[in-house]
Amino acid sequence: MIIPLYIIVAIICIYTFRHYWFTLNRLFGFQRHPYIDTDTAEWPPVTILVAAHNEEKVVANILGALMTVKYPPEKMLIIPVNDRSTDRTREIIDEFVERFPGRIQPFHRKEGKGGKAAALKDAMELVKTEVILIFDADYIPGAGLVKQLVAPFFDPEVGGVMGRVVPMNCGANLLTRLLDLERSGGYQVDQQARMNLRLVPQHGGTVAGVRLSALREIGGWNDASLTEDTDLTYRLLLHGWKTAYQNRSECYEEVPETWTVRIKQIMRWAKGHNQAMVTYAIRLALGRHRATLRERIDGTLLLGVYAIAPVTMIGWILALGVFYQGVAPLHGLIALFGITAYASVGNLAAFFEIAAAVRLDGNRQRVSLLPFLILGFSVSIFAVSHAAWSQLVGLVRKAEFHWDKTERFRKAT
Amino acid sequence: MSVLAVAALILMLLGMLAFPLIPSLTELHNQRDAKPLSVIQEHAGEIRHFASGFRNYISGLRPALQQCVATGTTAHGVLPDGCEYLILGKTVKFPEMKMRDKEPLCELVVLAGTLLKTPDNTTFAHEIYAGEDLVGGENCTYRAILGEKNIRLAPGTTVMRWVHSLGTFSTDHHCDLFGRVSSDRSIHLGVNTQFLRVNAPRIELGSLAIIDDRDNDAPVFGDTQSRIVHRLLVDGDYEIGPKEVVTGSVVSRGRLLIRSGAKIHGSVKSHHELTLETDVIVDGSVISASKMTIGNNCLLHGPIIAERQMAIAAGTRCGSSTQPTTISSPRIDIEEGVVVFGTLWAREYGRVVVNL
């Protein structure tokens, strides 16, 4: 019992160190924003895919916003990917097609496999440009965003691009405020630090882009994946393509306003991420491919982030077992020092990261909500562990994965 | 007694637990910082943003300016925000100004409807609007200038925030241009001029920058001996030979050296130092995650980005009149005789030098 516990403690310590490394890099390190100053260029033609499944509440907002972005209109084609919607999504899209002739080419998908990746895969028959941008329908891009997301593709090594997601409904309730903090930490610190350190910034599947030739090289969208973005990140990496993160390319999104929706969302993410871990972890860490050593290490750790929750829970159970067995690991005193040290430093790692992100964003008061994050973390740890468990059970029973769409809260306009 | 004691104990315990949460609960209740992070939806990084803002700011003074020009008079007044302004309807000697550190200081927003010549050694603490040409005096300091025609700044000039000219913009030697400098026609920067962000259809660096027939041309790749690589990814240093023609993009995870006369029909990138010798042609982008050195007479058509620093030698053309581009690096040294079409952006420090 003691050996597995040591292994779990070691894993948790590695992730703790990683949190601190990223945070300190963001606070004191060299910041890489190599493409953000590219404001004049011979801009390439771009296709913007807008994934929409029953999005009548929000789809008009994004199409309206895309019509006002500063990008040569003759070089930009918008393809709303209407994936088997049963609400007014199709009607709204067709209204826009009529209002803006030649600028929007709808893809109305009536049948086929469920899930965003499957819909995008089918829509690729309409894509003719080398640069593709992807947005979920609840996002509202600003005027300069398209150029900012296209600019990294001038780099011949870049296969994917990811912008920063900013919750627009963060003031709705405690949950949205906590998610706002988590997003800050995830993007402002985690993603940017990985960009700075030339590690593995993650493709998020929205406010994002992909190079068509790279996508073809890696075999297109993987419709068997629950999180096509994570899957894309790793396949690009294995083929020697970089994903660039643009921290200053910000875009508003809507975050879940109820815990039920949030739990569903995080469980889908966890399952998809774990699926990618099983598929790519060993190959990435030990296989022959084009990723660098630091990308191998960081990429493997990134694949494991959703596995940490169940691992932690197992660790708690083992620790209790060890305690009741009367075992004193490392002669008691060292263990006591270790626990004390971890309690004062390790537990704070994620909070430190988020506090640093809030500071970098220039906010002040919202950092006082930090203690409530324990609530968010607790819910996540159980939801993610439950997801991992149900995934294991599903694997044994050979059950198929189901893709759950995240519910929207915006009022239809 | 005992029940009360237990209740008191529980209350005290709850109070102690809640005490550290008081700031959290207060913020949760009062929502002082619950607005979304500010993302300016209309912001597109437009270099002329401040010039446009200033044009709107003084739009109310346009009738007065026209009247002063028509009557050849000057006028004083106060803008709605309390700033004093001076309208010059004819080319006159500047009025007496107060002195700061023995040098004249103009604390007025200046609007000129005719040719404006600013006196030497003067600091203009507010913006200047020039309806006609502006000819600057030596060693002047300007906060910002909006010119409807041409702007010519004398040696030793400093611009603190921005300049925008609808005509041509030129500086003599030893000027310091902080902030944004833009022109709708062309910009000429004298030697030993420092710059940060510069944008114009044509930017000439130093007096050796001349118009030539390469300015309007797309690169020609008539060579038949082209090596087709699609995308060549090299784990280490790499060299492209003299006069070698490569079709496709080259990415080196070490240093990349492109020998004289080589032609790349694609883009190049290196993780470490990137060196282009003389007469290299690249029709795509040129990117280095470290330092970049560009030799004489190169023709580069895509964006040019160096994450650490960059040096560009005389005779090189970046972009063309039909294909403008961006040069971007924290530190840029650019030799007299380089021409850039589009944007030249040094985040920390850019300088036009006589010799690299």
Side-chain angles (χ1 to χ4, degrees):
Chain A
M1 205 183 285
I2 197 82
I3 301 293
L5 184 59
Y6 282 150
I7 293 169
I8 288 171
V9 168
I11 291 170
I12 290 172
C13 286
I14 289 168
Y15 278 92
T16 302
F17 170 76
R18 184 173 167 268
H19 274 302
Y20 275 107
W21 187 30
F22 287 177
T23 310
L24 294 172
N25 170 271
R26 279 298 279 132
L27 292 175
F28 307 111
F30 176 72
Q31 306 301 311
R32 291 183 66 224
H33 304 280
Y35 316 108
I36 202 72
D37 292 342
T38 309
D39 68 349
T40 309
E42 182 64 25
W43 296 101
V46 58
T47 302
I48 301 178
L49 300 174
V50 180
H53 173 65
N54 290 333
E55 300 284 13
E56 63 177 6
K57 291 180 180 174
V58 294
V59 75
N61 295 145
I62 185 166
L63 293 179
L66 285 170
M67 288 299 108
T68 62
V69 296
K70 302 265 170 52
Y71 200 85
E74 71 281 4
K75 290 189 172 177
M76 188 175 89
L77 177 68
I78 295 153
I79 302 182
V81 182
N82 170 24
D83 182 19
R84 303 162 300 134
S85 297
T86 51
D87 61 359
R88 289 185 59 248
T89 302
R90 180 183 183 130
E91 197 182 315
I92 295 165
I93 290 171
D94 289 344
E95 276 171 25
F96 270 87
V97 174
E98 265 184 42
R99 274 173 59 199
F100 300 95
R103 298 193 62 192
I104 305 174
Q105 187 178 357
F107 179 73
H108 296 298
R109 189 169 181 255
K110 292 174 188 157
E111 53 194 17
K113 195 172 176 180
K116 185 173 154 189
L120 292 177
K121 191 175 181 178
D122 287 354
M124 289 307 288
E125 66 189 52
L126 299 181
V127 177
K128 304 281 183 284
T129 62
E130 176 69 350
V131 178
I132 307 163
L133 300 187
I134 307 121
F135 288 93
D136 285 351
D138 59 320
Y139 286 68
I140 303 178
L145 188 67
V146 171
K147 275 188 182 176
Q148 288 177 356
L149 292 177
V150 169
F153 288 107
F154 286 115
D155 182 337
E157 199 178 19
V158 169
V161 168
M162 179 64 203
R164 181 178 173 186
V165 167
V166 176
M168 61 185 292
N169 57 334
C170 65
N173 54 40
L174 175 63
L175 172 62
T176 59
R177 298 200 68 182
L178 295 181
L179 290 177
D180 177 56
L181 291 175
E182 281 185 25
R183 293 284 199 277
S184 269
Y187 286 93
Q188 181 65 276
V189 171
D190 240 56
Q191 286 272 59
Q192 183 58 42
R194 289 205 290 265
M195 179 70 183
N196 292 343
L197 296 161
R198 300 175 204 283
L199 303 175
V200 186
Q202 199 181 345
H203 198 282
T206 179
V207 196
V210 65
R211 190 189 291 270
L212 181 62
S213 53
L215 189 62
R216 283 188 177 144
E217 189 184 320
I218 63 172
W221 298 101
N222 178 4
D223 60 5
S225 170
L226 273 175
T227 48
E228 81 296 336
D229 42 10
T230 309
D231 186 85
L232 187 71
T233 308
Y234 282 91
R235 285 188 295 136
L236 286 172
L237 183 64
L238 292 169
H239 285 80
W241 292 99
K242 300 270 184 225
T243 297
Y245 173 64
Q246 295 266 83
N247 194 46
R248 293 177 193 163
S249 306
E250 296 147 330
C251 187
Y252 281 132
E253 66 148 354
E254 188 186 89
V255 288
E257 292 184 11
T258 66
W259 286 97
T260 323
V261 175
R262 169 62 181 161
I263 288 168
K264 251 187 177 180
Q265 183 188 52
I266 200 166
M267 282 179 68
R268 179 171 67 81
W269 288 352
K271 285 180 182 177
H273 214 88
N274 292 341
Q275 189 186 16
M277 181 180 70
V278 171
T279 314
Y280 301 114
I282 292 174
R283 197 173 149 207
L284 176 66
L286 307 170
R288 278 172 65 86
H289 48 73
R290 304 310 299 263
T292 61
L293 177 63
R294 57 172 63 194
E295 285 170 340
R296 283 171 189 258
I297 296 168
D298 179 59
T300 311
L301 289 173
L302 182 62
L303 279 172
V305 288
Y306 283 96
I308 280 296
V311 165
T312 305
M313 289 191 78
I314 293 166
W316 290 343
I317 294 162
L318 289 176
L320 280 173
V322 167
F323 177 77
Y324 284 112
Q325 271 189 340
V327 180
L330 296 171
H331 307 293
L333 196 60
I334 294 173
L336 192 65
F337 283 144
I339 289 166
T340 311
Y342 189 81
S344 58
V345 180
N347 283 334
L348 289 175
F351 294 87
F352 178 44
E353 181 176 301
I354 290 170
V358 172
R359 181 188 174 278
L360 289 166
D361 276 335
N363 295 318
R364 288 288 176 269
Q365 306 299 337
R366 67 185 65 190
V367 80
S368 50
L369 289 177
L370 222 53
F372 287 128
L373 274 174
I374 293 171
L375 180 64
F377 287 168
S378 306
V379 172
S380 294
I381 209 165
F382 285 104
V384 169
S385 300
H386 176 62
W389 176 250
S390 64
Q391 211 167 2
L392 276 176
V393 172
L395 203 68
V396 173
R397 292 181 183 166
K398 295 185 177 167
E400 272 197 22
F401 285 139
H402 291 285
W403 190 85
D404 290 315
K405 178 192 145 51
T406 305
E407 191 187 319
R408 307 289 180 228
F409 297 88
R410 207 179 307 166
K411 285 188 179 129
T413 52
Chain B
M1 175 64 187
S2 60
V3 175
L4 273 177
V6 170
L9 193 66
I10 291 170
L11 274 175
M12 204 169 73
L13 185 69
L14 287 175
M16 283 169 70
L17 285 173
F19 187 70
L21 294 176
I22 287 173
S24 312
L25 294 165
T26 311
E27 172 55 25
L28 190 63
H29 180 261
N30 294 342
Q31 299 216 341
R32 288 172 299 173
D33 194 8
K35 285 186 183 151
L37 183 70
S38 175
V39 177
I40 303 167
Q41 292 294 90
E42 297 78 30
H43 175 65
E46 173 56 48
I47 192 168
R48 293 155 181 82
H49 177 76
F50 294 121
S52 306
F54 178 63
R55 188 182 289 284
N56 292 337
Y57 174 68
I58 57 165
S59 59
L61 297 176
R62 199 158 283 278
L65 178 66
Q66 284 167 351
Q67 195 179 350
C68 285
V69 172
T71 56
T73 54
T74 62
H76 282 270
V78 180
L79 282 155
D81 64 354
C83 266
E84 287 185 60
Y85 65 81
L86 166 67
I87 299 178
L88 302 170
K90 58 181 176 180
T91 307
V92 290
K93 202 178 166 202
F94 246 76
E96 201 69 10
M97 282 175 276
K98 74 158 106 166
M99 305 297 281
R100 189 179 67 180
D101 299 333
K102 296 180 183 171
E103 287 189 350
L105 170 69
C106 176
E107 291 186 308
L108 308 168
V109 174
V110 177
L111 293 92
T114 56
L115 171 67
L116 175 62
K117 289 182 177 175
T118 59
D120 293 347
N121 305 311
T122 308
T123 298
F124 292 87
H126 287 279
E127 293 87 349
I128 293 178
Y129 170 81
E132 291 292 328
D133 289 355
L134 183 150
V135 179
E138 287 191 14
N139 302 314
C140 285
T141 299
Y142 304 93
R143 176 184 165 84
I145 306 169
L146 171 60
E148 298 286 359
K149 298 280 172 64
N150 304 320
I151 298 174
R152 199 167 80 226
L153 301 182
T157 297
T158 301
V159 176
M160 301 306 297
R161 293 196 65 215
W162 55 265
V163 181
H164 177 64
S165 162
L166 273 72
T168 60
F169 171 81
S170 61
T171 67
D172 214 311
H173 57 90
H174 289 96
C175 292
D176 291 335
L177 307 173
F178 300 110
R180 305 170 175 209
V181 176
S182 55
S183 160
D184 286 352
R185 285 181 60 193
S186 70
I187 289 174
H188 177 96
L189 303 183
V191 292
N192 293 312
T193 287
Q194 290 189 46
F195 60 85
L196 290 177
R197 186 179 173 189
V198 185
N199 172 275
R202 179 184 173 89
I203 304 166
E204 296 172 353
L205 291 311
S207 54
L208 299 177
I210 50 166
I211 295 172
D212 76 22
D213 54 9
R214 298 178 301 167
D215 294 354
N216 305 319
D217 294 342
V220 178
F221 286 87
D223 315 67
T224 49
Q225 297 298 310
S226 170
R227 186 155 62 96
I228 298 168
V229 296
H230 180 55
R231 186 180 78 120
L232 180 65
L233 177 59
V234 185
D235 288 316
D237 297 348
Y238 192 70
E239 183 178 320
I240 295 172
K243 296 192 176 173
E244 191 176 351
V245 181
V246 178
T247 299
S249 294
V250 177
V251 177
S252 159
R253 287 179 169 167
R255 293 187 189 85
L256 178 60
L257 171 63
I258 304 177
R259 294 284 188 190
S260 295
K263 293 180 183 177
I264 318 294
H265 190 46
S267 299
V268 290
K269 181 185 181 181
S270 71
H271 285 205
H272 296 286
E273 198 170 336
L274 172 57
T275 306
L276 279 70
E277 292 186 346
T278 58
D279 301 303
V280 170
I281 299 177
V282 182
D283 78 341
S285 48
V286 183
I287 295 172
S288 166
S290 175
K291 283 167 60 178
M292 186 188 296
T293 308
I294 299 169
N296 296 97
N297 300 314
C298 292
L299 275 177
L300 313 172
H301 282 82
I304 303 160
I305 299 168
E307 291 191 33
R308 296 285 179 171
Q309 64 185 75
M310 183 190 293
I312 308 176
T316 288
R317 253 51 182 175
C318 303
S320 68
S321 60
T322 53
Q323 193 177 320
T325 194
T326 298
I327 298 179
S328 159
S329 182
R331 302 173 76 83
I332 301 175
D333 278 320
I334 206 161
E335 200 174 36
E336 188 177 21
V338 172
V339 178
V340 176
F341 299 84
T343 295
L344 177 58
W345 195 332
R347 275 275 166 190
E348 296 170 10
Y349 176 82
R351 190 177 52 158
V352 185
V353 296
V354 178
N355 288 304
L356 282 173

